[in-house]
Amino acid sequence: MGVKFRAFSVFILWWLMAGCSIEQNTITSNIFHNMTARFNGYFYAKEGAREVEKLILQSLDDDHNKILLLYPRWDTVLAKTYKKNTEEIIKMASISIQRHPNSRWVDDDYLMVGLARLYACDWQNAILTFKYVNTKSHDIHLRHTALLNLARTFTEMKDYDRAEETFRFLDKEKLNRSNQKKLYLEKANYYQIREDYNNMVQNLSQADSLLTRQDRKGRIYFILGQVYQKLGFNAEAYNFYKKCLATNPDYEIDFYARLNMAQVTELTNKRNVATVRKQFLKMLKDSKNIDFKDKIHFEFGEFEKKQNNLKEAVQEYKLAAHSGKSKRIKGMAYLRIGQVNFDSLKRYKPAKSYYDSAVASLPPDFENLAAIKKRQEVLGEFVKYTDIITVNDSLLYYASLDTAKIRQRLDSIWAKNKKEVVASKKKRRRKNTDDTGGGGSTFNTVAASSTGDSNSNGWYFSSSDLVATGQNEFQRVWGSIPLEDNWRRSGRSTVASDAVAVAQQPQDKTPDENANSKKKEEVKVDPVKVLIAQLPKTEAQRNEALAKIEDAYYHLGDLYYFNLNEKDNASESYEKLVARFPASERMAEVLYKLYLIHKEKNDGLADGYAARLQKEFPTSTFARVLINPDYIKETTALAEKQKLMYKEAYRFYQDNNLKPAMDGVTEALAAGESSFTPQLDLLKVLIVARTEDVARYQYELSEFIKKYPKDPLKKYAEQLVTASKDFVVKMEKAKGIRFIADAKAPHLFVVVYSSSERITSPVVDALEKFNAAEFGKLKLTTSNVGMDDKTLTLCSELPDKETALRYYYKFLGQLLKAKPFSNYKFYNFVVSKDNFQILYRNKALDEYLTFFDKNYQK
């Protein structure tokens, strides 16, 4: 019996060992390999994948102020943290494939390899693996799972076209419940990445009935609520937040779901409003929410802002800024206070301060941070221009009152302010009494009396505004530093030494001088007299104040329009300018901007502004652009063409060839009007100066100034008018000075230049070289004489007028374009010896130049 049992045992063992062979295809072999593959390699690979998924989920850094991510975002940095895990998954799955190649779990093992590569961000190998499973596996559901993971890989790679192609294929397939749910979630994730929230919420809603608790239903419902809230469907958002709470989610999700429910609650009557307020107060009292107080106060502020209770909203925002450690919420709170002051209260100074604090606190990835910084930068300009409007309007108003009414008005304002201060003081004392059970008031009184401050409004720390101001000032000076001992000594040596240096500075004034200055400070100044001294009393002063107001409205409109892209506010500023200053020089430009704003808004007002612009300013550039949008482009091309024509005409003008010069200008002007037209018109006037009398020349200049009052050339034209008038005066003076035309008399060649240039030596050197080279036989000599602030270099002597002119024109051809003559302003002429005596004796340079032009020039 014992021998038989041993023999049977050996047979059974042999039979089992034979079944372990990978070449066998028997029932025993299949059972062995399937069981071993599933519960060894595949089991450990799947467990490893679950561990990696947990690590990836832990990497989620949720910001509940934004729509939560449905899936975490993968990256190579994160993948390095679980590299060993993914390698282990591939190792276990590979061992299973190698040792049990005929088992039913080979395709599942390959799927595990693909997942490990996906987790490791090895996109290309993951794609190859999932495609292999899709083509080789006989299990249709496994192929669908591989395709779903393939779509996820394409999504993470941002290869959106192939991801959509995969989704379209799967939409046509009949999927099992698990894969159908996964398809909806993968598509929702894809649309979230593409920021297509309509399709995202549609797919999540379809997945709702397929979700299990393992899918973190509470989180998905919360995301659905957030998306619906973003899209403006508050009722749907409310329902999903409610469903989220029913799943008993994590505490943070629970907390934010309740907060968001308060935001989307339909408030149909005052009772509902009171109910929501009670919910906020209840959350504030709950000790579990102590770490979320800043968020609660912020959302409470948002709620009050929606009810248009701006004062209460600002108070809640201030509490939010100082109730927690989140810099994001602090920055958002400051931002909201700044927005309330800017948009609703039109208080630009405090708005500027709060925007500064917001920008300092908000994280770099905050939504629209660039636009917030832009508004912060221009707020300084807003303060400047709004102050100009306020101050000058006030001064103009008080200027219309007599002294008695001014005094009465100021007394009324001071009395009102004093009454408000007293009321505020009483209110704070009552609050302190309530907060401390009666003890606070006594403490505050002692504190106030000990400081000797008769105007104290209570204890410093009872005022949240004062505390907030102090904290902001502390952070401005010392920065954000941890709460620690000897904090002043931590990296603050520079500040400390500066403070000591200031404290140790010697006093400039003696005690007597300090006493005298103190007495001067105690001299009472009548504020009414101070105000009256600043009032615009004369017409010129009133016009100056109005001009400042007009300019401020114009720049405010531009700040809104161009810097902040806020069309409504820009339109409001421009319309105030149009209403208050109908004769403004900027009217055409402002009407055109209003036309553009209302055309974009499509509110039916654009046509009215266009009609007014064309009627009142038909020749303005803005009216022409309105008719022909390509006007600027066309006139630019025309201006370039006219510049070439101007260059040719000016060359003729320089050569004193005036007829072709005038023809060229006339042709250029006939080509059309452009930005270059003023230059052409001025050249035409200069040609008139040489062809017509002085009266006609002055008339043309005056017409040019009238035609182009804002052109830069106006100043030069005015200088020409002044010069022509001086010329007439000198002509009248020259009538008493008579020069004699004598062609046979000996002549001198004269160069005149400013003595301040200090160029006598180079001028003499150049002339002597020229004389030796061109007129050596005449043995000319050079000399210098002074006349007022000018130096005259003389070449003598030339035997007659003919020789003198030959010398003059050779000089013009050879030396005038060479140094030093090309770098400075010179007068060059020839003069008979007798006429030079008259010129020098009477200092009649201008008069002789006129005589020279008439008697010597060609």
Side-chain angles (χ1 to χ4, degrees):
M1 185 71 182
V3 174
K4 290 183 179 180
F5 178 77
R6 283 196 299 273
F8 179 75
S9 299
V10 170
F11 172 76
I12 292 297
L13 182 62
W14 172 84
W15 181 72
L16 289 173
M17 290 177 68
C20 295
S21 174
I22 60 175
E23 285 82 11
Q24 295 290 330
N25 193 22
T26 62
I27 295 174
T28 307
S29 176
N30 289 338
I31 291 172
F32 172 79
H33 285 294
N34 286 335
M35 184 182 302
T36 308
R38 179 179 181 181
F39 293 107
N40 281 293
Y42 175 74
F43 174 81
Y44 288 116
K46 192 169 185 179
E47 287 299 309
R50 286 175 179 166
E51 287 298 319
V52 171
E53 287 171 0
K54 287 180 182 178
L55 292 172
I56 293 171
L57 284 176
Q58 289 172 7
S59 71
L60 269 174
D61 184 15
D62 286 337
D63 178 3
H64 296 83
N65 300 302
K66 299 179 180 178
I67 295 174
L68 297 186
L69 295 176
L70 190 61
Y71 290 147
R73 299 287 171 258
W74 292 333
D75 60 69
T76 54
V77 176
L78 176 64
K80 288 178 181 177
T81 62
Y82 49 75
K83 183 179 179 181
K84 289 184 179 179
N85 301 68
T86 53
E87 289 175 348
E88 187 67 18
I89 294 170
I90 295 172
K91 177 183 175 182
M92 290 293 104
S94 299
I95 290 173
S96 179
I97 293 168
Q98 292 168 3
R99 294 181 180 177
H100 313 288
N102 297 323
S103 77
R104 290 182 304 177
W105 297 94
V106 169
D107 295 336
D108 298 81
D109 287 325
Y110 274 115
L111 187 67
M112 288 296 107
V113 173
L115 281 174
R117 289 169 173 172
L118 175 59
Y119 297 151
C121 300
D122 184 2
W123 312 122
Q124 297 304 327
N125 285 322
I127 291 170
L128 291 173
T129 309
F130 292 136
K131 284 184 176 180
Y132 177 84
V133 175
N134 180 49
T135 54
K136 297 296 183 180
S137 177
H138 298 291
D139 185 346
I140 184 67
H141 300 305
L142 191 66
R143 295 209 305 269
H144 290 159
T145 303
L147 287 174
L148 286 166
N149 287 314
L150 182 64
R152 176 70 179 278
T153 308
F154 289 143
T155 302
E156 294 294 335
M157 291 174 62
K158 295 183 171 53
D159 189 347
Y160 300 127
D161 291 336
R162 289 202 285 176
E164 286 194 4
E165 185 180 349
T166 309
F167 287 137
R168 282 195 295 270
F169 176 81
L170 287 168
D171 283 335
K172 298 174 185 176
E173 295 288 296
K174 187 175 181 180
L175 308 179
N176 61 20
R177 184 182 179 88
S178 174
N179 283 334
Q180 187 66 57
K181 174 183 67 176
K182 188 171 177 61
L183 174 62
Y184 288 140
L185 294 177
E186 288 293 350
K187 288 172 72 175
N189 176 60
Y190 168 82
Y191 287 120
Q192 183 176 30
I193 291 174
R194 301 299 303 273
E195 296 184 355
D196 183 352
Y197 294 112
N198 284 311
N199 279 312
M200 177 190 176
V201 80
Q202 181 180 345
N203 280 279
L204 284 178
S205 298
Q206 289 176 311
D208 183 10
S209 60
L210 304 174
L211 296 173
T212 64
R213 188 167 185 83
Q214 286 71 30
D215 296 315
R216 300 187 300 165
K217 290 175 68 174
R219 182 184 180 87
I220 292 176
Y221 289 149
F222 182 79
I223 293 172
L224 271 166
Q226 285 183 306
V227 177
Y228 273 121
Q229 185 177 354
K230 182 179 181 68
L231 296 175
F233 299 103
N234 288 344
E236 291 295 326
Y238 183 89
N239 291 334
F240 275 104
Y241 286 137
K242 195 172 182 180
K243 289 179 74 172
C244 169
L245 294 175
T247 64
N248 194 23
D250 295 339
Y251 182 73
E252 279 197 49
I253 295 284
D254 182 285
F255 169 77
Y256 281 100
R258 294 179 189 278
L259 265 187
N260 293 351
M261 282 179 70
Q263 294 178 21
V264 299
T265 301
E266 294 293 334
L267 303 174
T268 55
N269 53 50
K270 291 183 178 178
R271 182 177 296 177
N272 289 345
V273 173
T275 301
V276 173
R277 283 202 183 101
K278 286 181 180 178
Q279 290 175 358
F280 277 117
L281 294 172
K282 184 178 179 182
M283 282 190 284
L284 285 170
K285 291 179 180 178
D286 191 338
S287 59
K288 294 194 299 292
N289 296 334
I290 191 166
D291 293 332
F292 300 106
K293 274 195 171 184
D294 52 352
K295 179 64 177 174
I296 299 171
H297 280 300
F298 180 81
E299 294 301 338
F300 202 172
E302 294 283 84
F303 171 78
E304 294 294 358
K305 186 170 176 282
K306 282 183 182 178
Q307 313 311 311
N308 204 32
N309 299 325
L310 299 182
K311 185 177 179 182
E312 289 78 6
V314 168
Q315 187 61 31
E316 291 299 329
Y317 291 139
K318 287 179 179 178
L319 291 170
H322 302 289
S323 297
K325 297 179 180 179
S326 171
K327 296 205 75 176
R328 176 182 288 272
I329 293 176
K330 178 185 286 190
M332 290 169 61
Y334 286 141
L335 177 63
R336 286 290 188 273
I337 301 173
Q339 289 171 339
V340 168
N341 279 285
F342 185 91
D343 297 318
S344 303
L345 304 178
K346 306 298 181 185
R347 296 170 57 202
Y348 299 111
K349 278 188 179 179
K352 173 72 167 66
S353 301
Y354 281 109
Y355 264 91
D356 290 343
S357 299
V359 169
S361 301
L362 289 172
D365 63 340
F366 188 77
E367 185 179 2
N368 293 327
L369 183 60
I372 294 166
K373 286 184 175 179
K374 200 169 187 180
R375 178 177 271 201
Q376 175 214 10
E377 290 167 2
V378 300
L379 264 171
E381 293 293 302
F382 270 95
V383 172
K384 172 185 170 183
Y385 291 121
T386 52
D387 280 356
I388 287 173
I389 294 171
T390 304
V391 169
N392 284 282
D393 271 339
S394 299
L395 291 175
L396 287 168
Y397 168 73
Y398 281 111
S400 65
L401 305 177
D402 57 32
T403 306
K405 287 187 177 179
I406 293 174
R407 189 176 294 278
Q408 181 182 357
R409 178 78 175 170
L410 292 179
D411 288 342
S412 174
I413 292 171
W414 290 330
K416 182 181 178 182
N417 289 342
K418 188 176 180 181
K419 188 176 180 181
E420 289 177 355
V421 168
V422 172
S424 176
K425 188 188 299 183
K426 289 181 179 178
K427 183 178 179 180
R428 284 191 177 128
R429 284 177 178 169
R430 279 199 303 272
K431 185 178 183 301
N432 293 337
T433 302
D434 294 340
D435 292 344
T436 59
S441 178
T442 305
F443 183 85
N444 292 336
T445 305
V446 173
S449 60
S450 65
T451 58
D453 185 1
S454 59
N455 294 324
S456 174
N457 292 329
W459 190 34
Y460 171 85
F461 289 101
S462 69
S463 169
S464 59
D465 287 348
L466 290 174
V467 172
T469 303
Q471 288 177 336
N472 288 338
E473 181 65 13
F474 182 89
Q475 287 188 4
R476 184 184 68 78
V477 176
W478 296 97
S480 296
I481 59 175
L483 187 61
E484 59 185 9
D485 292 337
N486 301 319
W487 56 268
R488 280 179 177 269
R489 300 179 188 173
S490 301
R492 298 292 167 184
S493 57
T494 303
V495 177
S497 61
D498 290 345
V500 172
V502 171
Q504 292 178 348
Q505 285 180 354
Q507 296 292 330
D508 293 334
K509 295 182 180 180
T510 64
D512 293 337
E513 289 174 337
N514 286 328
N516 292 333
S517 63
K518 190 174 181 181
K519 288 179 181 179
K520 289 179 181 178
E521 290 173 3
E522 292 175 355
V523 176
K524 290 186 178 180
V525 178
D526 187 352
V528 176
K529 290 182 179 179
V530 174
L531 177 61
I532 290 173
Q534 299 177 43
L535 297 180
K537 300 170 187 176
T538 65
E539 189 66 24
Q541 290 174 333
R542 284 191 288 272
N543 289 337
E544 183 183 356
L546 288 169
K548 289 179 180 178
I549 295 171
E550 177 192 342
D551 183 70
Y553 275 126
Y554 172 81
H555 283 100
L556 277 177
D558 280 358
L559 285 171
Y560 278 122
Y561 193 16
F562 298 112
N563 295 73
L564 297 178
N565 197 30
E566 296 179 7
K567 305 292 192 303
D568 291 337
N569 288 328
S571 176
E572 182 182 347
S573 293
Y574 289 141
E575 284 166 357
K576 285 180 180 178
L577 189 152
V578 170
R580 290 191 62 176
F581 306 97
S584 171
E585 292 181 353
R586 297 187 173 106
M587 186 59 70
E589 181 184 352
V590 171
L591 288 174
Y592 181 69
K593 288 175 181 174
L594 284 168
Y595 161 77
L596 293 177
I597 291 170
H598 290 287
K599 182 182 178 183
E600 187 176 336
K601 291 170 67 176
N602 196 25
D603 55 5
L605 298 177
D607 292 340
Y609 287 111
R612 182 174 174 184
L613 176 59
Q614 291 174 323
K615 181 181 178 182
E616 297 181 14
F617 307 95
T619 60
S620 68
T621 301
F622 301 101
R624 289 173 179 172
V625 170
L626 194 65
I627 298 169
N628 177 16
D630 294 328
Y631 173 76
I632 299 294
K633 185 178 179 181
E634 292 172 3
T635 53
T636 301
L638 175 61
E640 292 302 317
K641 180 181 176 182
Q642 287 176 331
K643 286 178 183 179
L644 296 174
M645 299 169 76
Y646 175 90
K647 187 177 180 181
E648 183 72 12
Y650 190 74
R651 185 173 61 80
F652 284 126
Y653 168 77
Q654 283 183 312
D655 294 340
N656 212 32
N657 200 353
L658 301 178
K659 188 177 186 308
M662 180 63 83
D663 292 342
V665 171
T666 304
E667 183 184 357
L669 288 170
E673 188 174 350
S674 73
S675 59
F676 197 69
T677 301
Q679 281 88 337
L680 292 167
D681 275 337
L682 186 59
L683 180 56
K684 185 177 179 180
V685 174
L686 295 177
I687 296 171
V688 167
R690 294 190 180 183
T691 57
E692 305 288 345
D693 58 25
V694 176
R696 175 65 185 277
Y697 171 57
Q698 291 181 347
Y699 170 77
E700 292 294 340
L701 282 173
S702 63
E703 289 299 305
F704 178 88
I705 292 168
K706 290 179 185 176
K707 187 176 181 181
Y708 303 108
K710 294 183 178 180
D711 196 275
L713 288 173
K714 176 191 173 186
K715 186 176 180 180
Y716 179 58
E718 290 172 340
Q719 292 173 355
L720 292 177
V721 171
T722 303
S724 67
K725 290 178 180 179
D726 292 341
F727 174 76
V728 171
V729 172
K730 290 174 182 177
M731 286 292 291
E732 293 296 325
K733 177 184 174 184
K735 289 179 181 179
I737 301 172
R738 294 189 177 276
F739 293 102
I740 302 165
D742 187 351
K744 295 182 179 181
H747 280 64
L748 310 174
F749 175 75
V750 184
V751 179
V752 184
Y753 47 90
S754 174
S755 300
S756 62
E757 302 289 358
R758 301 179 182 275
I759 54 174
T760 302
S761 294
V763 169
V764 170
D765 291 343
L767 287 175
E768 287 181 346
K769 289 179 183 178
F770 174 72
N771 293 341
E774 300 293 337
F775 296 91
K777 293 180 181 180
L778 296 179
K779 296 182 180 180
L780 300 175
T781 60
T782 58
S783 59
N784 301 294
V785 295
M787 187 175 73
D788 293 336
D789 59 345
K790 295 178 177 61
T791 299
L792 284 66
T793 298
L794 314 175
C795 286
S796 61
E797 66 183 40
L798 300 162
D800 52 32
K801 177 181 178 182
E802 182 182 353
T803 307
L805 285 175
R806 188 157 48 89
Y807 184 100
Y808 174 73
Y809 286 115
K810 273 205 171 185
F811 171 85
L812 293 182
Q814 294 183 25
L815 287 192
L816 192 62
K817 296 180 180 179
K819 294 181 179 180
F821 302 100
S822 61
N823 295 341
Y824 299 92
K825 182 178 179 181
F826 291 90
Y827 295 107
N828 314 297
F829 54 88
V830 292
V831 57
S832 68
K833 293 181 72 173
D834 292 337
N835 284 341
F836 180 76
Q837 296 300 325
I838 298 171
L839 180 158
Y840 191 73
R841 185 171 58 250
N842 293 285
K843 298 180 180 179
L845 177 62
D846 293 330
E847 291 78 4
Y848 180 76
L849 289 173
T850 304
F851 174 82
F852 175 75
D853 287 340
K854 288 183 178 180
N855 293 277
Y856 287 85
Q857 293 274 38
K858 290 180 181 179

